[in-house]
Amino acid sequence: MATFFGEVILPTSRVFFDDYDDSDNEEEYQVERTLEVKLLDENSLKHEFELLIIVEGIVCRGFADLYLVNANTLRLAEFRLPVEEERDNLVEITSHKEEASVLYKLNDKTLLLRTSPAIDIFISHQLTLKVIPWIESCKNIMTFHSKSVCDYRCEIREDLPPTFERTLVTSAVRNISPGLRYLDQPNFITGFCASVAGWCECMDKPCILHIIFTDNSSLDSITFAPLFKIFETSNVKHLIVNKPNSSKLGISCDQSYMYM
């Protein structure tokens, strides 16, 4: 770009380098964290199941904690990231969650995988590879992923409800429950549930991906409404072992969908 004085001003770059840009530090910080699998029930790998339910996101995990599992639910396996060593020269804005992803046995025909908040887009495929033995032993896969309504792309946003559901299915799915709407373009989904759905599509395995869009991360009757509807219309209502309790609703979480 030329100015009135004739000199040329080149566009600036947004790439910044610090004073410690050497090969030793780069190799140190790029060590990949490998998921560790703790198998709690070896017999679970020898059985076949009808359904595997996967929950990802604050709202879906909260729904599973309140209504699908209890103290008597059997744990089959845990998938955990190793604890990172403390770095003096690295500032963390939010504390890293070292919570494990847990595979539960809801009954003789159904498994539930509760995904840890520590599973991000960079290690989603790694968790998929660890869970494949159980995915292969299940005839059907049903995943639930909760996201902010800000991530939903559409022309008119004013008409959107505070919470709603959209669906993606693999080619092997023959029919879906009535009343469910497919995710429209140009929306796209990333994360662990998307990784599982992609693997199922390649392996010609039935998989339904339910995306729950919410305007906040509170665990209340409004954000849970699409989930209850899906469980009722998908013939899996019997999996809700804990009756809805209004005193447990309205729980606020450590994440907000408000942007400054």
Side-chain angles (χ1 to χ4, degrees):
M1 179 178 68
T3 67
F4 292 105
F5 298 97
E7 72 269 21
V8 176
I9 302 176
L10 297 178
T12 59
S13 172
R14 293 182 181 272
V15 180
F16 298 91
F17 301 93
D18 55 26
D19 297 332
Y20 301 96
D21 187 19
D22 56 84
S23 58
D24 295 337
N25 289 335
E26 183 178 357
E27 292 179 358
E28 178 183 354
Y29 293 154
Q30 289 184 353
V31 177
E32 182 180 1
R33 304 179 70 196
T34 304
L35 280 170
E36 300 174 350
V37 182
K38 183 179 180 181
L39 189 59
L40 304 177
D41 187 353
E42 297 182 358
N43 294 327
S44 63
L45 295 172
K46 303 177 183 178
H47 292 279
E48 292 187 356
F49 299 90
E50 291 290 335
L51 177 64
L52 168 62
I53 296 177
I54 299 174
V55 292
E56 181 181 14
I58 293 179
V59 173
C60 294
R61 282 193 299 264
F63 181 86
D65 293 341
L66 289 174
Y67 301 120
L68 302 182
V69 300
N70 52 40
N72 299 322
T73 306
L74 181 63
R75 292 182 172 220
L76 302 182
E78 295 180 354
F79 310 86
R80 188 184 301 273
L81 284 168
V83 179
E84 285 186 313
E85 297 180 357
E86 294 184 0
R87 303 174 186 173
D88 296 334
N89 60 341
L90 184 63
V91 178
E92 292 187 0
I93 300 177
T94 58
S95 59
H96 184 72
K97 299 182 182 297
E98 299 295 344
E99 182 181 345
S101 299
V102 182
L103 181 68
Y104 294 95
K105 179 181 178 182
L106 299 183
N107 54 45
D108 293 336
K109 297 182 179 180
T110 310
L111 300 180
L112 168 69
L113 177 61
R114 185 190 184 278
T115 307
S116 166
I119 303 300
D120 55 23
I121 189 175
F122 301 104
I123 54 177
S124 295
H125 183 63
Q126 186 182 151
L127 179 58
T128 302
L129 297 178
K130 299 292 185 180
V131 183
I132 279 179
W134 289 276
I135 296 178
E136 291 179 333
S137 65
C138 296
K139 296 181 180 179
N140 298 280
I141 312 297
M142 181 182 295
T143 68
F144 296 87
H145 187 186
S146 54
K147 295 173 63 67
S148 168
V149 72
C150 299
D151 298 329
Y152 185 71
R153 302 292 182 263
C154 64
E155 295 183 358
I156 303 176
R157 305 189 63 88
E158 290 76 9
D159 297 336
L160 292 176
T163 303
F164 57 96
E165 181 270 350
R166 293 294 184 267
T167 302
L168 286 174
V169 300
T170 60
S171 302
V173 176
R174 297 294 175 254
N175 50 39
I176 64 172
S177 302
L180 299 180
R181 295 181 55 182
Y182 288 105
L183 182 68
D184 47 346
Q185 297 180 356
N187 291 279
F188 61 92
I189 300 299
T190 60
F192 175 63
C193 288
S195 176
V196 171
W199 185 90
C200 291
E201 177 66 24
C202 295
M203 301 305 294
D204 195 28
K205 196 175 191 67
C207 177
I208 302 178
L209 172 54
H210 297 285
I211 308 100
I212 310 298
F213 292 97
T214 65
D215 61 354
N216 63 76
S217 57
S218 299
L219 308 182
D220 53 33
S221 58
I222 297 178
T223 57
F224 285 165
L227 290 162
F228 279 117
K229 178 182 177 181
I230 294 171
F231 270 73
E232 290 179 358
T233 58
S234 301
N235 297 324
V236 290
K237 185 179 179 180
H238 62 281
L239 297 177
I240 300 179
V241 294
N242 304 323
K243 295 183 179 180
N245 187 349
S246 58
S247 64
K248 295 182 179 181
L249 298 180
I251 303 174
S252 59
C253 304
D254 58 353
Q255 177 175 332
S256 175
Y257 290 154
M258 180 172 291
Y259 295 87
M260 300 298 292

